Amino acid sequence: MNIVIIGLGTGGFAAHLYAKRACRDAKVIIVDRKEFNLFHPCGLPFILDKTLDAGKLEHMLNLKGTEVLQSHECLKIIPDANEVLIQQVGTDKRRRIPYDRLIIATGSTASIPPIDGIRPLLGKSIFTLHCTDDAKKIIAKEKKHILIVGAGPIGLESAAGLRKTCKVTVVEALSNVFPRSLDTDMAKMIEEYLVTKGVMFHFGKLLSKILSESDSLVGVKIGEEEIRCDTILLSCGARVDLKMFSDAGLLIGDHGLKVNSRMQTNHKNIYAVGDIVETKIIGSEQKLPSRLATLAYAQGKAAGINSVGGDAFYHETNMAFASMIGDLEVASVGMTSKVADDSGYSVIAVKVRSTDIPEWAICDEKKHDITLKIIIDKTTLQVLGCQSVGIGAAAKVNVVAAAIASGLTADKLADVELAYCPSISNLPDVLSVACETAVRRARLS
Amino acid sequence: MNIVIIGLGTGGFAAHLYAKRACRDAKVIIVDRKEFNLFHPCGLPFILDKTLDAGKLEHMLNLKGTEVLQSHECLKIIPDANEVLIQQVGTDKRRRIPYDRLIIATGSTASIPPIDGIRPLLGKSIFTLHCTDDAKKIIAKEKKHILIVGAGPIGLESAAGLRKTCKVTVVEALSNVFPRSLDTDMAKMIEEYLVTKGVMFHFGKLLSKILSESDSLVGVKIGEEEIRCDTILLSCGARVDLKMFSDAGLLIGDHGLKVNSRMQTNHKNIYAVGDIVETKIIGSEQKLPSRLATLAYAQGKAAGINSVGGDAFYHETNMAFASMIGDLEVASVGMTSKVADDSGYSVIAVKVRSTDIPEWAICDEKKHDITLKIIIDKTTLQVLGCQSVGIGAAAKVNVVAAAIASGLTADKLADVELAYCPSISNLPDVLSVACETAVRRARLS
């Protein structure tokens, strides 16, 4: 069995790992554009304030028995011949390689808004943050005021780091930070935290014009307003190039390549995983582009196993998400209130604030607050989503992830005994309290 | 409706809270021996090294509309008359108070081994750790070498604190630390950690003799061996006095008062919760005395709701447990391998060690390891238990707690997407890896 994997990101890596694990003798060829094996884009923002060392994000793997065609890209997929046409980057060396099964895991690149004046300044005073080279350039650039476009994880984690050395303004087209993961009230906590650190925000606005003087960036227009700035970081989403796939006759949905729950495209020998595929949020009717490493890993796992004749499924994503904004942890899982509402649930949402350990156990006056919001359905008590801000947020959200996967209703989740020790956790746990309150409210309403 | 609650510990407090919440007009009388309202025994070991301030463990509550008979104890339960006989502590003032529903939450006291020579030295050079007064006495006692009897949470948390100021030896009758919560291999990690901190251990041995010279403690015999020491901390379990209950005709099991899943004793108007009742471990055939605050809280909740005519159930405990030994976090849930084995499961146990965040994201060389052991049934892939050691252990165990409550099998649990950010968590998560490995092993064997 010849497996060809295009792209060695999280999805391609997982596909390889699980294909080889399920079938040690599978012959795998990986085609990848990079000059090294694996890269961890989630670490990029933490390079900016030197929390992380750039060198640690890129490394070589020991993929024994697997052929890795580094610095190669795929130009064309030829399903009828079960072949791909590849080319060595920077050369015109092309060749066709055959496959029994093809796994596409080409990922995404940073999105660049279609505004005049951006392209000439790219890499000089306007940056994306997609590789370590980008990060190095941003660090090297002398900057007094950076404008960050996009309040997703890359934008905000970068803002939290960069605000230590320069003025930071964040522009977000939607109405709050982390619009895909948080309700407005929870998002407000992150925004307020960053505001206390000196970060400025503009919501509901798009970058409309680049202002430059003698080829130097001097500012932007957002809406009708002018903001002076000397540097811009574009973190307004990812872009996927689907042309090669549609040329090959693969079906494309509104949010990416269409795959079934075995991660198969409409061509049964071709699988696709990660950023390029369209995924459904668990329990909802909402589809979205897949943009999380966890998701790429899980999809790669399923595709890898299936490519060697196994039987694995990836149905829906729970959207499990975490981010570290300065020293504020934020996490979420499942649907936001809006997605739940749009999906026809009658939403009960309850927000509870507590200390991470009991009030009485806090000796050194160093109080860690945690806020948790649980979203349930009024009629069935089904747990739809959870959002949390504060140290331990991801840990709470992970318990809810298990509850969502198993259909554990909020009344049962409230009753789950959680491990308690006064120097580690609280009794009752903020998660139990939130669930219990939500259930009570559902029954009263 | 007159509710009488005997005992204002975690169980009694929860019973009151939920009774009043379910029925605001319920008339509640609480009879409690203490001079203050609530006390947090789980905090006691952390007083010994002054991590916690003793004053914080005792406090008064604002229980509006509830009569709290402080410094009172119950002498007798008279089920036929629906009355209890109570007495003011230190006086001979007795009276009978009537109840419609009685909730017994009298808790436990520290167990004292039946060995000659202990009692005269109690409070002088031999101590238990059951109240803040005990902790204060231990701190005040001049000590060079303390012998701690019992390697449960109180014994080990105390050992971790006391070893900073004196020599510490721990004696445990069973074969490893935390024998109720951990398998031997996991327990070994805690033991080895404490050994590196200078703590000495003797397993499988009982205190057999107190050695004293002119009324001063000079050492002990454990088995045939003599150990010189000047101080002893007895942390070898809790003792409950069930005589009053059997006198009242309440049924007693091997491990405490017998209750049904509504927390009712054989007298339908009498409920019992917490340390005094016998509880079953979820999924097992094993009953045990209830000794965890989480459990007392959950049982108190059920009894409180039911006492005012509600309908709440407490079936089994998941044994969720956490402890902090120095800077080592330990947690567990469900059955140990032995309990699972004794309950007839064909046990597959897999232990995985990982860093809490990705290796590449660790910049300052400060590595946090986490070890996690998952216990599943070979045939059904049912998750039976989980044990973990390292920062974040309780968080992992809580995800498994939700899986156990919902019957989420290990293959499904392995597939749950967990929130990932390189400065917070790892991908794949150690829990997913352990579950996946266990499932693979189950299928291969």
Side-chain angles (χ1 to χ4, degrees), chain A residues 8-10 13 32 34-61 70 128-136 138-139 154 157-158, chain B residues 357-363 420-423 425:
Chain A
L8 186 48
T10 304
F13 171 71
D32 190 55
K34 303 189 297 297
E35 288 164 15
F36 48 90
N37 286 164
L38 209 52
F39 171 61
H40 306 284
C42 300
L44 284 169
F46 303 101
I47 297 180
L48 298 181
D49 67 345
K50 293 165 188 168
T51 313
L52 255 181
D53 181 24
K56 296 221 178 180
L57 298 197
E58 301 174 350
H59 54 91
M60 299 301 287
L61 300 170
Q70 223 67 70
T128 57
L129 186 51
H130 199 73
C131 63
T132 48
D133 211 38
D134 293 338
K136 286 174 189 166
I138 296 170
I139 293 170
I154 297 225
E157 285 163 4
S158 300
Chain B
I357 60 173
E359 287 274 4
W360 56 263
I362 297 164
C363 253
Y420 166 64
C421 169
S423 55
S425 51

Side-chain angles (χ1 to χ4, degrees), chain A residues 21-269:
Chain A
R21 202 176 266 175
C23 173
R24 207 170 292 180
D25 303 329
K27 192 169 167 273
V28 182
I29 299 177
I30 303 177
V31 178
D32 190 55
R33 297 179 65 138
K34 303 189 297 297
E35 288 164 15
F36 48 90
N37 286 164
L38 209 52
F39 171 61
H40 306 284
C42 300
L44 284 169
F46 303 101
I47 297 180
L48 298 181
D49 67 345
K50 293 165 188 168
T51 313
L52 255 181
D53 181 24
K56 296 221 178 180
L57 298 197
E58 301 174 350
H59 54 91
M60 299 301 287
L61 300 170
N62 183 11
L63 302 178
K64 263 185 284 186
T66 292
E67 189 178 356
V68 185
L69 299 172
Q70 223 67 70
S71 302
H72 277 77
E73 62 186 329
C74 181
L75 299 180
K76 195 175 178 183
I77 300 166
I78 309 134
D80 294 340
N82 279 354
E83 286 183 345
V84 287
L85 174 67
I86 65 166
Q87 177 171 302
Q88 192 171 9
V89 176
T91 73
D92 54 5
K93 281 187 206 161
R94 294 184 179 187
R95 59 175 164 132
R96 289 162 74 128
I97 51 173
Y99 62 80
D100 295 314
R101 303 283 182 274
L102 176 67
I103 301 174
I104 310 171
T106 44
S108 60
T109 53
S111 183
I112 295 167
I115 297 164
D116 283 349
I118 286 189
R119 298 227 166 242
L121 295 175
L122 267 184
K124 292 173 195 148
S125 50
I126 302 184
F127 304 92
T128 57
L129 186 51
H130 199 73
C131 63
T132 48
D133 211 38
D134 293 338
K136 286 174 189 166
K137 281 182 188 159
I138 296 170
I139 293 170
K141 167 79 167 61
E142 203 177 308
K143 52 198 176 293
K144 289 203 172 113
H145 184 182
I146 189 165
L147 185 92
I148 296 178
V149 185
I154 297 225
L156 288 200
E157 285 163 4
S158 300
L162 291 169
R163 65 96 198 162
K164 294 174 193 165
T165 51
C166 66
K167 200 169 147 186
V168 176
T169 299
V170 176
V171 182
E172 166 59 48
L174 297 172
S175 57
N176 55 259
V177 303
F178 296 128
R180 190 180 286 183
S181 303
L182 297 185
D183 290 350
T184 307
D185 56 340
M186 295 297 285
K188 199 80 191 163
M189 296 178 67
I190 312 294
E191 179 194 333
E192 284 171 357
Y193 168 81
L194 282 172
V195 166
T196 66
K197 302 291 183 191
V199 175
M200 287 156 294
F201 284 91
H202 295 267
F203 290 103
K205 289 189 177 152
L206 287 167
L207 197 61
S208 58
K209 198 172 179 183
I210 299 296
L211 307 174
S212 58
E213 284 168 14
S214 43
D215 294 339
S216 287
L217 176 72
V218 295
V220 294
K221 270 183 96 170
I222 56 162
E224 290 309 304
E225 194 177 350
E226 272 191 28
I227 298 180
R228 308 299 283 184
C229 64
D230 52 36
T231 314
I232 296 176
L233 169 58
L234 300 170
S235 57
C236 39
R239 193 175 56 81
V240 294
D241 188 350
L242 299 171
K243 185 166 181 313
M244 178 171 70
F245 310 137
S246 56
D247 285 353
L250 301 183
L251 286 179
I252 313 282
D254 290 338
H255 303 284
L257 263 170
K258 278 187 175 295
V259 288
N260 65 16
S261 59
R262 304 186 79 246
M263 300 314 293
Q264 269 169 323
T265 64
N266 51 312
H267 282 277
K268 71 176 176 36
N269 294 336

Side-chain angles (χ1 to χ4, degrees), chain A residues 18 314 362 415 417 436, chain B residues 18 56 301 314 417 436:
Chain A
Y18 284 88
Y314 183 89
I362 297 165
D415 281 346
E417 288 161 35
E436 216 172 275
Chain B
Y18 284 88
K56 295 222 179 181
K301 174 181 167 180
Y314 183 90
E417 289 162 34
E436 217 172 274

